[in-house]
Amino acid sequence: MDTTKSPSTDEVAEWVYVVDDDLSVREALSSLIRSVGLNVETFSSAAAFLAVPRKSSPACLILDVRMPDLSGLELQALLTRAGICIPIVFITGHGDIPMAVRAIKHGAIEFLAKPFRDEDLISAIRSALARAHDDQHEAQEIARVRQRFEQLTGREKEVVAYIVQGYLNKQVAAELGISETTIKVHRHNIMSKMNVRTLPDLVRMMEKLAPSESKPRK
């Protein structure tokens, strides 16, 4: 791993990670990225990048396509399988259309062929960091919803799964073999614990969780 970073080490700041096996490219990109006020950290290989714990700050990855051992596309696939969400901007001097299509299809923000304009790279980085902020916000929201959902009792979790599928109280009561009055009590408790006022709000909130949580268990 290179030690090139911007002067700021603020953990809440945005970060740009550069992975390229060419030292001259890493140095040039580092200088460019720092010139627009962004924190940057460079790595000579995918393995070096994977060996260092990621910061919790919004970040993006500038990734060379062709590298020894583990290619950029292989690293992208590995990160996806591991559930690591980080927006990627690919750069390459040997790219082709099928390669670019594959990268974009799997979530890359941009695929830039060398030589590219500095403005194009900075624009791609800005887009990637905006995506990173959105992803982080969404992850935090899902965590909040999950925390509220886990406050429900086992029976309330069964009831909410039917409610968000559009079942009426009497239908839920019939499915679960309990009274409609009891369902109404559960429904009131669910709305209170999930901190929502309307059914559409509850449905949208439950959609943020895994699909299995919003479907009745048969």
Side-chain angles (χ1 to χ4, degrees), residues 86-123:
I86 180 169
I88 297 174
V89 175
F90 278 102
I91 57 175
T92 181
H94 310 281
D96 52 35
I97 292 178
M99 190 180 293
V101 170
R102 175 184 170 187
I104 299 298
K105 182 179 180 181
H106 288 85
I109 298 295
E110 185 60 272
F111 193 97
L112 299 175
K114 301 174 184 175
F116 46 79
R117 298 190 310 160
D118 291 350
E119 294 84 353
D120 291 338
L121 178 61
I122 295 303
S123 176

PDB file of all heavy atoms in Angstrom, residues 86-123:
ATOM      1  N   ILE A  86     -19.344  -0.308  -2.654  1.00  0.00           N
ATOM      2  CA  ILE A  86     -18.514   0.877  -2.888  1.00  0.00           C
ATOM      3  C   ILE A  86     -18.563   1.207  -4.375  1.00  0.00           C
ATOM      4  O   ILE A  86     -18.238   0.359  -5.215  1.00  0.00           O
ATOM      5  CB  ILE A  86     -17.056   0.655  -2.412  1.00  0.00           C
ATOM      6  CG1 ILE A  86     -16.219   1.907  -2.676  1.00  0.00           C
ATOM      7  CG2 ILE A  86     -16.434  -0.592  -3.031  1.00  0.00           C
ATOM      8  CD1 ILE A  86     -14.849   1.885  -2.003  1.00  0.00           C
ATOM      9  N   PRO A  87     -18.987   2.404  -4.738  1.00  0.00           N
ATOM     10  CA  PRO A  87     -19.073   2.783  -6.146  1.00  0.00           C
ATOM     11  C   PRO A  87     -17.690   2.736  -6.813  1.00  0.00           C
ATOM     12  O   PRO A  87     -16.696   3.172  -6.226  1.00  0.00           O
ATOM     13  CB  PRO A  87     -19.625   4.209  -6.100  1.00  0.00           C
ATOM     14  CG  PRO A  87     -20.318   4.296  -4.784  1.00  0.00           C
ATOM     15  CD  PRO A  87     -19.501   3.473  -3.849  1.00  0.00           C
ATOM     16  N   ILE A  88     -17.657   2.218  -8.039  1.00  0.00           N
ATOM     17  CA  ILE A  88     -16.390   2.016  -8.733  1.00  0.00           C
ATOM     18  C   ILE A  88     -16.349   2.804 -10.039  1.00  0.00           C
ATOM     19  O   ILE A  88     -17.306   2.824 -10.810  1.00  0.00           O
ATOM     20  CB  ILE A  88     -16.169   0.522  -9.042  1.00  0.00           C
ATOM     21  CG1 ILE A  88     -16.075  -0.283  -7.732  1.00  0.00           C
ATOM     22  CG2 ILE A  88     -14.911   0.316  -9.886  1.00  0.00           C
ATOM     23  CD1 ILE A  88     -15.995  -1.781  -7.957  1.00  0.00           C
ATOM     24  N   VAL A  89     -15.203   3.439 -10.268  1.00  0.00           N
ATOM     25  CA  VAL A  89     -14.903   4.068 -11.564  1.00  0.00           C
ATOM     26  C   VAL A  89     -13.734   3.294 -12.155  1.00  0.00           C
ATOM     27  O   VAL A  89     -12.642   3.264 -11.575  1.00  0.00           O
ATOM     28  CB  VAL A  89     -14.518   5.551 -11.407  1.00  0.00           C
ATOM     29  CG1 VAL A  89     -14.087   6.131 -12.758  1.00  0.00           C
ATOM     30  CG2 VAL A  89     -15.680   6.347 -10.824  1.00  0.00           C
ATOM     31  N   PHE A  90     -13.949   2.634 -13.271  1.00  0.00           N
ATOM     32  CA  PHE A  90     -12.890   1.873 -13.918  1.00  0.00           C
ATOM     33  C   PHE A  90     -12.075   2.765 -14.846  1.00  0.00           C
ATOM     34  O   PHE A  90     -12.627   3.630 -15.535  1.00  0.00           O
ATOM     35  CB  PHE A  90     -13.474   0.717 -14.737  1.00  0.00           C
ATOM     36  CG  PHE A  90     -13.805  -0.502 -13.926  1.00  0.00           C
ATOM     37  CD1 PHE A  90     -15.111  -0.778 -13.559  1.00  0.00           C
ATOM     38  CD2 PHE A  90     -12.801  -1.377 -13.524  1.00  0.00           C
ATOM     39  CE1 PHE A  90     -15.423  -1.899 -12.816  1.00  0.00           C
ATOM     40  CE2 PHE A  90     -13.098  -2.500 -12.773  1.00  0.00           C
ATOM     41  CZ  PHE A  90     -14.415  -2.763 -12.414  1.00  0.00           C
ATOM     42  N   ILE A  91     -10.770   2.531 -14.872  1.00  0.00           N
ATOM     43  CA  ILE A  91      -9.891   3.185 -15.837  1.00  0.00           C
ATOM     44  C   ILE A  91      -9.064   2.097 -16.515  1.00  0.00           C
ATOM     45  O   ILE A  91      -8.689   1.108 -15.878  1.00  0.00           O
ATOM     46  CB  ILE A  91      -8.961   4.221 -15.172  1.00  0.00           C
ATOM     47  CG1 ILE A  91      -8.118   3.576 -14.061  1.00  0.00           C
ATOM     48  CG2 ILE A  91      -9.766   5.385 -14.621  1.00  0.00           C
ATOM     49  CD1 ILE A  91      -7.085   4.508 -13.447  1.00  0.00           C
ATOM     50  N   THR A  92      -8.790   2.258 -17.808  1.00  0.00           N
ATOM     51  CA  THR A  92      -8.025   1.232 -18.508  1.00  0.00           C
ATOM     52  C   THR A  92      -7.403   1.776 -19.783  1.00  0.00           C
ATOM     53  O   THR A  92      -7.930   2.698 -20.403  1.00  0.00           O
ATOM     54  CB  THR A  92      -8.927   0.036 -18.877  1.00  0.00           C
ATOM     55  OG1 THR A  92      -8.160  -0.969 -19.540  1.00  0.00           O
ATOM     56  CG2 THR A  92     -10.071   0.470 -19.780  1.00  0.00           C
ATOM     57  N   GLY A  93      -6.284   1.199 -20.130  1.00  0.00           N
ATOM     58  CA  GLY A  93      -5.654   1.526 -21.401  1.00  0.00           C
ATOM     59  C   GLY A  93      -5.859   0.417 -22.413  1.00  0.00           C
ATOM     60  O   GLY A  93      -5.408   0.504 -23.550  1.00  0.00           O
ATOM     61  N   HIS A  94      -6.562  -0.641 -21.978  1.00  0.00           N
ATOM     62  CA  HIS A  94      -6.741  -1.815 -22.844  1.00  0.00           C
ATOM     63  C   HIS A  94      -8.177  -2.309 -22.824  1.00  0.00           C
ATOM     64  O   HIS A  94      -8.443  -3.494 -22.975  1.00  0.00           O
ATOM     65  CB  HIS A  94      -5.816  -2.954 -22.391  1.00  0.00           C
ATOM     66  CG  HIS A  94      -4.393  -2.540 -22.205  1.00  0.00           C
ATOM     67  ND1 HIS A  94      -3.518  -2.376 -23.256  1.00  0.00           N
ATOM     68  CD2 HIS A  94      -3.693  -2.237 -21.083  1.00  0.00           C
ATOM     69  CE1 HIS A  94      -2.330  -1.996 -22.790  1.00  0.00           C
ATOM     70  NE2 HIS A  94      -2.406  -1.901 -21.472  1.00  0.00           N
ATOM     71  N   GLY A  95      -9.111  -1.410 -22.641  1.00  0.00           N
ATOM     72  CA  GLY A  95     -10.500  -1.824 -22.527  1.00  0.00           C
ATOM     73  C   GLY A  95     -11.167  -2.057 -23.868  1.00  0.00           C
ATOM     74  O   GLY A  95     -10.650  -1.680 -24.916  1.00  0.00           O
ATOM     75  N   ASP A  96     -12.316  -2.701 -23.823  1.00  0.00           N
ATOM     76  CA  ASP A  96     -13.125  -2.882 -25.021  1.00  0.00           C
ATOM     77  C   ASP A  96     -14.587  -2.746 -24.605  1.00  0.00           C
ATOM     78  O   ASP A  96     -14.916  -2.666 -23.423  1.00  0.00           O
ATOM     79  CB  ASP A  96     -12.862  -4.235 -25.691  1.00  0.00           C
ATOM     80  CG  ASP A  96     -12.994  -5.406 -24.718  1.00  0.00           C
ATOM     81  OD1 ASP A  96     -13.852  -5.340 -23.813  1.00  0.00           O
ATOM     82  OD2 ASP A  96     -12.239  -6.376 -24.851  1.00  0.00           O
ATOM     83  N   ILE A  97     -15.468  -2.713 -25.592  1.00  0.00           N
ATOM     84  CA  ILE A  97     -16.879  -2.486 -25.309  1.00  0.00           C
ATOM     85  C   ILE A  97     -17.492  -3.579 -24.431  1.00  0.00           C
ATOM     86  O   ILE A  97     -18.178  -3.279 -23.450  1.00  0.00           O
ATOM     87  CB  ILE A  97     -17.666  -2.323 -26.620  1.00  0.00           C
ATOM     88  CG1 ILE A  97     -17.246  -1.017 -27.319  1.00  0.00           C
ATOM     89  CG2 ILE A  97     -19.172  -2.314 -26.356  1.00  0.00           C
ATOM     90  CD1 ILE A  97     -17.915  -0.771 -28.649  1.00  0.00           C
ATOM     91  N   PRO A  98     -17.259  -4.880 -24.749  1.00  0.00           N
ATOM     92  CA  PRO A  98     -17.831  -5.917 -23.866  1.00  0.00           C
ATOM     93  C   PRO A  98     -17.363  -5.789 -22.412  1.00  0.00           C
ATOM     94  O   PRO A  98     -18.142  -6.011 -21.478  1.00  0.00           O
ATOM     95  CB  PRO A  98     -17.312  -7.219 -24.492  1.00  0.00           C
ATOM     96  CG  PRO A  98     -17.107  -6.881 -25.926  1.00  0.00           C
ATOM     97  CD  PRO A  98     -16.598  -5.478 -25.916  1.00  0.00           C
ATOM     98  N   MET A  99     -16.102  -5.408 -22.231  1.00  0.00           N
ATOM     99  CA  MET A  99     -15.574  -5.238 -20.882  1.00  0.00           C
ATOM    100  C   MET A  99     -16.284  -4.078 -20.177  1.00  0.00           C
ATOM    101  O   MET A  99     -16.646  -4.184 -19.003  1.00  0.00           O
ATOM    102  CB  MET A  99     -14.070  -4.965 -20.955  1.00  0.00           C
ATOM    103  CG  MET A  99     -13.351  -5.003 -19.615  1.00  0.00           C
ATOM    104  SD  MET A  99     -11.577  -4.678 -19.824  1.00  0.00           S
ATOM    105  CE  MET A  99     -11.075  -6.139 -20.735  1.00  0.00           C
ATOM    106  N   ALA A 100     -16.481  -2.982 -20.915  1.00  0.00           N
ATOM    107  CA  ALA A 100     -17.162  -1.826 -20.336  1.00  0.00           C
ATOM    108  C   ALA A 100     -18.612  -2.162 -19.988  1.00  0.00           C
ATOM    109  O   ALA A 100     -19.104  -1.786 -18.924  1.00  0.00           O
ATOM    110  CB  ALA A 100     -17.111  -0.651 -21.310  1.00  0.00           C
ATOM    111  N   VAL A 101     -19.267  -2.882 -20.882  1.00  0.00           N
ATOM    112  CA  VAL A 101     -20.658  -3.281 -20.637  1.00  0.00           C
ATOM    113  C   VAL A 101     -20.764  -4.150 -19.386  1.00  0.00           C
ATOM    114  O   VAL A 101     -21.650  -3.966 -18.549  1.00  0.00           O
ATOM    115  CB  VAL A 101     -21.234  -4.038 -21.856  1.00  0.00           C
ATOM    116  CG1 VAL A 101     -22.584  -4.659 -21.501  1.00  0.00           C
ATOM    117  CG2 VAL A 101     -21.386  -3.091 -23.039  1.00  0.00           C
ATOM    118  N   ARG A 102     -19.833  -5.076 -19.240  1.00  0.00           N
ATOM    119  CA  ARG A 102     -19.829  -5.949 -18.072  1.00  0.00           C
ATOM    120  C   ARG A 102     -19.653  -5.146 -16.788  1.00  0.00           C
ATOM    121  O   ARG A 102     -20.368  -5.368 -15.807  1.00  0.00           O
ATOM    122  CB  ARG A 102     -18.709  -6.990 -18.195  1.00  0.00           C
ATOM    123  CG  ARG A 102     -18.546  -7.865 -16.962  1.00  0.00           C
ATOM    124  CD  ARG A 102     -17.355  -8.792 -17.111  1.00  0.00           C
ATOM    125  NE  ARG A 102     -17.041  -9.462 -15.862  1.00  0.00           N
ATOM    126  CZ  ARG A 102     -15.966 -10.231 -15.673  1.00  0.00           C
ATOM    127  NH1 ARG A 102     -15.119 -10.432 -16.666  1.00  0.00           N
ATOM    128  NH2 ARG A 102     -15.755 -10.800 -14.491  1.00  0.00           N
ATOM    129  N   ALA A 103     -18.715  -4.203 -16.810  1.00  0.00           N
ATOM    130  CA  ALA A 103     -18.448  -3.402 -15.624  1.00  0.00           C
ATOM    131  C   ALA A 103     -19.658  -2.559 -15.235  1.00  0.00           C
ATOM    132  O   ALA A 103     -20.042  -2.507 -14.060  1.00  0.00           O
ATOM    133  CB  ALA A 103     -17.240  -2.498 -15.868  1.00  0.00           C
ATOM    134  N   ILE A 104     -20.261  -1.892 -16.199  1.00  0.00           N
ATOM    135  CA  ILE A 104     -21.415  -1.035 -15.927  1.00  0.00           C
ATOM    136  C   ILE A 104     -22.611  -1.872 -15.490  1.00  0.00           C
ATOM    137  O   ILE A 104     -23.358  -1.492 -14.573  1.00  0.00           O
ATOM    138  CB  ILE A 104     -21.787  -0.197 -17.170  1.00  0.00           C
ATOM    139  CG1 ILE A 104     -20.618   0.721 -17.572  1.00  0.00           C
ATOM    140  CG2 ILE A 104     -23.044   0.614 -16.911  1.00  0.00           C
ATOM    141  CD1 ILE A 104     -20.236   1.733 -16.516  1.00  0.00           C
ATOM    142  N   LYS A 105     -22.793  -3.034 -16.129  1.00  0.00           N
ATOM    143  CA  LYS A 105     -23.903  -3.921 -15.783  1.00  0.00           C
ATOM    144  C   LYS A 105     -23.835  -4.345 -14.329  1.00  0.00           C
ATOM    145  O   LYS A 105     -24.868  -4.541 -13.676  1.00  0.00           O
ATOM    146  CB  LYS A 105     -23.886  -5.145 -16.700  1.00  0.00           C
ATOM    147  CG  LYS A 105     -25.036  -6.125 -16.452  1.00  0.00           C
ATOM    148  CD  LYS A 105     -24.972  -7.295 -17.410  1.00  0.00           C
ATOM    149  CE  LYS A 105     -26.112  -8.270 -17.156  1.00  0.00           C
ATOM    150  NZ  LYS A 105     -26.049  -9.439 -18.083  1.00  0.00           N
ATOM    151  N   HIS A 106     -22.632  -4.480 -13.821  1.00  0.00           N
ATOM    152  CA  HIS A 106     -22.451  -4.915 -12.435  1.00  0.00           C
ATOM    153  C   HIS A 106     -22.292  -3.740 -11.471  1.00  0.00           C
ATOM    154  O   HIS A 106     -21.821  -3.922 -10.341  1.00  0.00           O
ATOM    155  CB  HIS A 106     -21.258  -5.862 -12.333  1.00  0.00           C
ATOM    156  CG  HIS A 106     -21.533  -7.218 -12.925  1.00  0.00           C
ATOM    157  ND1 HIS A 106     -21.378  -7.480 -14.267  1.00  0.00           N
ATOM    158  CD2 HIS A 106     -21.963  -8.379 -12.355  1.00  0.00           C
ATOM    159  CE1 HIS A 106     -21.693  -8.736 -14.511  1.00  0.00           C
ATOM    160  NE2 HIS A 106     -22.069  -9.307 -13.376  1.00  0.00           N
ATOM    161  N   GLY A 107     -22.687  -2.546 -11.918  1.00  0.00           N
ATOM    162  CA  GLY A 107     -22.792  -1.426 -10.990  1.00  0.00           C
ATOM    163  C   GLY A 107     -21.738  -0.345 -11.059  1.00  0.00           C
ATOM    164  O   GLY A 107     -21.782   0.606 -10.268  1.00  0.00           O
ATOM    165  N   ALA A 108     -20.765  -0.466 -11.968  1.00  0.00           N
ATOM    166  CA  ALA A 108     -19.738   0.575 -12.057  1.00  0.00           C
ATOM    167  C   ALA A 108     -20.359   1.913 -12.456  1.00  0.00           C
ATOM    168  O   ALA A 108     -21.312   1.962 -13.233  1.00  0.00           O
ATOM    169  CB  ALA A 108     -18.664   0.179 -13.067  1.00  0.00           C
ATOM    170  N   ILE A 109     -19.816   2.989 -11.924  1.00  0.00           N
ATOM    171  CA  ILE A 109     -20.312   4.325 -12.228  1.00  0.00           C
ATOM    172  C   ILE A 109     -19.870   4.776 -13.613  1.00  0.00           C
ATOM    173  O   ILE A 109     -20.625   5.370 -14.376  1.00  0.00           O
ATOM    174  CB  ILE A 109     -19.810   5.342 -11.185  1.00  0.00           C
ATOM    175  CG1 ILE A 109     -20.333   4.993  -9.796  1.00  0.00           C
ATOM    176  CG2 ILE A 109     -20.210   6.763 -11.565  1.00  0.00           C
ATOM    177  CD1 ILE A 109     -21.830   5.088  -9.660  1.00  0.00           C
ATOM    178  N   GLU A 110     -18.605   4.479 -13.959  1.00  0.00           N
ATOM    179  CA  GLU A 110     -18.049   4.943 -15.226  1.00  0.00           C
ATOM    180  C   GLU A 110     -16.928   4.007 -15.654  1.00  0.00           C
ATOM    181  O   GLU A 110     -16.326   3.319 -14.832  1.00  0.00           O
ATOM    182  CB  GLU A 110     -17.526   6.374 -15.065  1.00  0.00           C
ATOM    183  CG  GLU A 110     -17.028   7.028 -16.329  1.00  0.00           C
ATOM    184  CD  GLU A 110     -18.075   7.148 -17.402  1.00  0.00           C
ATOM    185  OE1 GLU A 110     -18.188   6.166 -18.178  1.00  0.00           O
ATOM    186  OE2 GLU A 110     -18.757   8.179 -17.464  1.00  0.00           O
ATOM    187  N   PHE A 111     -16.660   3.982 -16.949  1.00  0.00           N
ATOM    188  CA  PHE A 111     -15.582   3.179 -17.522  1.00  0.00           C
ATOM    189  C   PHE A 111     -14.798   4.102 -18.453  1.00  0.00           C
ATOM    190  O   PHE A 111     -15.245   4.414 -19.553  1.00  0.00           O
ATOM    191  CB  PHE A 111     -16.166   1.990 -18.298  1.00  0.00           C
ATOM    192  CG  PHE A 111     -15.161   0.935 -18.677  1.00  0.00           C
ATOM    193  CD1 PHE A 111     -14.990  -0.203 -17.902  1.00  0.00           C
ATOM    194  CD2 PHE A 111     -14.390   1.075 -19.826  1.00  0.00           C
ATOM    195  CE1 PHE A 111     -14.078  -1.188 -18.264  1.00  0.00           C
ATOM    196  CE2 PHE A 111     -13.466   0.115 -20.193  1.00  0.00           C
ATOM    197  CZ  PHE A 111     -13.314  -1.027 -19.399  1.00  0.00           C
ATOM    198  N   LEU A 112     -13.631   4.570 -17.998  1.00  0.00           N
ATOM    199  CA  LEU A 112     -12.853   5.558 -18.743  1.00  0.00           C
ATOM    200  C   LEU A 112     -11.628   4.921 -19.392  1.00  0.00           C
ATOM    201  O   LEU A 112     -10.846   4.240 -18.731  1.00  0.00           O
ATOM    202  CB  LEU A 112     -12.399   6.675 -17.805  1.00  0.00           C
ATOM    203  CG  LEU A 112     -13.499   7.489 -17.121  1.00  0.00           C
ATOM    204  CD1 LEU A 112     -12.886   8.474 -16.136  1.00  0.00           C
ATOM    205  CD2 LEU A 112     -14.354   8.220 -18.156  1.00  0.00           C
ATOM    206  N   ALA A 113     -11.478   5.165 -20.682  1.00  0.00           N
ATOM    207  CA  ALA A 113     -10.317   4.658 -21.405  1.00  0.00           C
ATOM    208  C   ALA A 113      -9.190   5.695 -21.350  1.00  0.00           C
ATOM    209  O   ALA A 113      -9.417   6.891 -21.548  1.00  0.00           O
ATOM    210  CB  ALA A 113     -10.688   4.366 -22.855  1.00  0.00           C
ATOM    211  N   LYS A 114      -7.983   5.239 -21.058  1.00  0.00           N
ATOM    212  CA  LYS A 114      -6.813   6.122 -21.044  1.00  0.00           C
ATOM    213  C   LYS A 114      -6.406   6.441 -22.479  1.00  0.00           C
ATOM    214  O   LYS A 114      -6.468   5.562 -23.340  1.00  0.00           O
ATOM    215  CB  LYS A 114      -5.644   5.437 -20.330  1.00  0.00           C
ATOM    216  CG  LYS A 114      -5.917   5.049 -18.889  1.00  0.00           C
ATOM    217  CD  LYS A 114      -4.737   4.246 -18.324  1.00  0.00           C
ATOM    218  CE  LYS A 114      -5.016   3.749 -16.913  1.00  0.00           C
ATOM    219  NZ  LYS A 114      -3.911   2.874 -16.412  1.00  0.00           N
ATOM    220  N   PRO A 115      -5.965   7.655 -22.767  1.00  0.00           N
ATOM    221  CA  PRO A 115      -5.928   8.810 -21.854  1.00  0.00           C
ATOM    222  C   PRO A 115      -7.306   9.449 -21.749  1.00  0.00           C
ATOM    223  O   PRO A 115      -8.034   9.551 -22.729  1.00  0.00           O
ATOM    224  CB  PRO A 115      -4.933   9.748 -22.524  1.00  0.00           C
ATOM    225  CG  PRO A 115      -5.103   9.473 -23.993  1.00  0.00           C
ATOM    226  CD  PRO A 115      -5.403   7.990 -24.094  1.00  0.00           C
ATOM    227  N   PHE A 116      -7.673   9.874 -20.561  1.00  0.00           N
ATOM    228  CA  PHE A 116      -8.955  10.541 -20.348  1.00  0.00           C
ATOM    229  C   PHE A 116      -8.688  11.940 -19.803  1.00  0.00           C
ATOM    230  O   PHE A 116      -7.618  12.233 -19.268  1.00  0.00           O
ATOM    231  CB  PHE A 116      -9.838   9.759 -19.366  1.00  0.00           C
ATOM    232  CG  PHE A 116      -9.103   9.304 -18.135  1.00  0.00           C
ATOM    233  CD1 PHE A 116      -8.838  10.174 -17.087  1.00  0.00           C
ATOM    234  CD2 PHE A 116      -8.673   7.989 -18.021  1.00  0.00           C
ATOM    235  CE1 PHE A 116      -8.164   9.757 -15.960  1.00  0.00           C
ATOM    236  CE2 PHE A 116      -7.992   7.559 -16.886  1.00  0.00           C
ATOM    237  CZ  PHE A 116      -7.730   8.445 -15.851  1.00  0.00           C
ATOM    238  N   ARG A 117      -9.652  12.804 -19.944  1.00  0.00           N
ATOM    239  CA  ARG A 117      -9.510  14.174 -19.442  1.00  0.00           C
ATOM    240  C   ARG A 117      -9.649  14.183 -17.921  1.00  0.00           C
ATOM    241  O   ARG A 117     -10.449  13.434 -17.360  1.00  0.00           O
ATOM    242  CB  ARG A 117     -10.570  15.078 -20.052  1.00  0.00           C
ATOM    243  CG  ARG A 117     -10.507  15.225 -21.568  1.00  0.00           C
ATOM    244  CD  ARG A 117     -11.454  16.322 -22.027  1.00  0.00           C
ATOM    245  NE  ARG A 117     -12.803  16.154 -21.464  1.00  0.00           N
ATOM    246  CZ  ARG A 117     -13.700  17.118 -21.370  1.00  0.00           C
ATOM    247  NH1 ARG A 117     -13.399  18.342 -21.795  1.00  0.00           N
ATOM    248  NH2 ARG A 117     -14.894  16.878 -20.861  1.00  0.00           N
ATOM    249  N   ASP A 118      -8.876  15.046 -17.282  1.00  0.00           N
ATOM    250  CA  ASP A 118      -8.979  15.176 -15.829  1.00  0.00           C
ATOM    251  C   ASP A 118     -10.408  15.502 -15.415  1.00  0.00           C
ATOM    252  O   ASP A 118     -10.916  14.969 -14.428  1.00  0.00           O
ATOM    253  CB  ASP A 118      -8.050  16.282 -15.322  1.00  0.00           C
ATOM    254  CG  ASP A 118      -6.577  15.922 -15.458  1.00  0.00           C
ATOM    255  OD1 ASP A 118      -6.273  14.747 -15.767  1.00  0.00           O
ATOM    256  OD2 ASP A 118      -5.730  16.829 -15.257  1.00  0.00           O
ATOM    257  N   GLU A 119     -11.063  16.354 -16.206  1.00  0.00           N
ATOM    258  CA  GLU A 119     -12.418  16.768 -15.879  1.00  0.00           C
ATOM    259  C   GLU A 119     -13.385  15.582 -15.877  1.00  0.00           C
ATOM    260  O   GLU A 119     -14.308  15.519 -15.062  1.00  0.00           O
ATOM    261  CB  GLU A 119     -12.913  17.826 -16.876  1.00  0.00           C
ATOM    262  CG  GLU A 119     -12.165  19.152 -16.823  1.00  0.00           C
ATOM    263  CD  GLU A 119     -10.869  19.133 -17.644  1.00  0.00           C
ATOM    264  OE1 GLU A 119     -10.485  18.049 -18.144  1.00  0.00           O
ATOM    265  OE2 GLU A 119     -10.260  20.202 -17.781  1.00  0.00           O
ATOM    266  N   ASP A 120     -13.165  14.641 -16.796  1.00  0.00           N
ATOM    267  CA  ASP A 120     -14.044  13.474 -16.875  1.00  0.00           C
ATOM    268  C   ASP A 120     -13.877  12.576 -15.651  1.00  0.00           C
ATOM    269  O   ASP A 120     -14.854  12.032 -15.121  1.00  0.00           O
ATOM    270  CB  ASP A 120     -13.760  12.674 -18.146  1.00  0.00           C
ATOM    271  CG  ASP A 120     -14.184  13.416 -19.407  1.00  0.00           C
ATOM    272  OD1 ASP A 120     -15.050  14.310 -19.297  1.00  0.00           O
ATOM    273  OD2 ASP A 120     -13.646  13.108 -20.489  1.00  0.00           O
ATOM    274  N   LEU A 121     -12.649  12.416 -15.210  1.00  0.00           N
ATOM    275  CA  LEU A 121     -12.413  11.594 -14.030  1.00  0.00           C
ATOM    276  C   LEU A 121     -13.006  12.252 -12.788  1.00  0.00           C
ATOM    277  O   LEU A 121     -13.669  11.580 -11.983  1.00  0.00           O
ATOM    278  CB  LEU A 121     -10.921  11.344 -13.818  1.00  0.00           C
ATOM    279  CG  LEU A 121     -10.588  10.513 -12.566  1.00  0.00           C
ATOM    280  CD1 LEU A 121     -11.214   9.130 -12.649  1.00  0.00           C
ATOM    281  CD2 LEU A 121      -9.076  10.406 -12.371  1.00  0.00           C
ATOM    282  N   ILE A 122     -12.777  13.538 -12.621  1.00  0.00           N
ATOM    283  CA  ILE A 122     -13.302  14.231 -11.445  1.00  0.00           C
ATOM    284  C   ILE A 122     -14.829  14.189 -11.446  1.00  0.00           C
ATOM    285  O   ILE A 122     -15.465  13.991 -10.403  1.00  0.00           O
ATOM    286  CB  ILE A 122     -12.813  15.694 -11.397  1.00  0.00           C
ATOM    287  CG1 ILE A 122     -11.286  15.729 -11.204  1.00  0.00           C
ATOM    288  CG2 ILE A 122     -13.502  16.446 -10.274  1.00  0.00           C
ATOM    289  CD1 ILE A 122     -10.792  15.012  -9.961  1.00  0.00           C
ATOM    290  N   SER A 123     -15.432  14.340 -12.614  1.00  0.00           N
ATOM    291  CA  SER A 123     -16.887  14.261 -12.717  1.00  0.00           C
ATOM    292  C   SER A 123     -17.378  12.873 -12.308  1.00  0.00           C
ATOM    293  O   SER A 123     -18.388  12.740 -11.592  1.00  0.00           O
ATOM    294  CB  SER A 123     -17.335  14.567 -14.149  1.00  0.00           C
ATOM    295  OG  SER A 123     -18.730  14.405 -14.302  1.00  0.00           O
TER     296      SER A 123
END
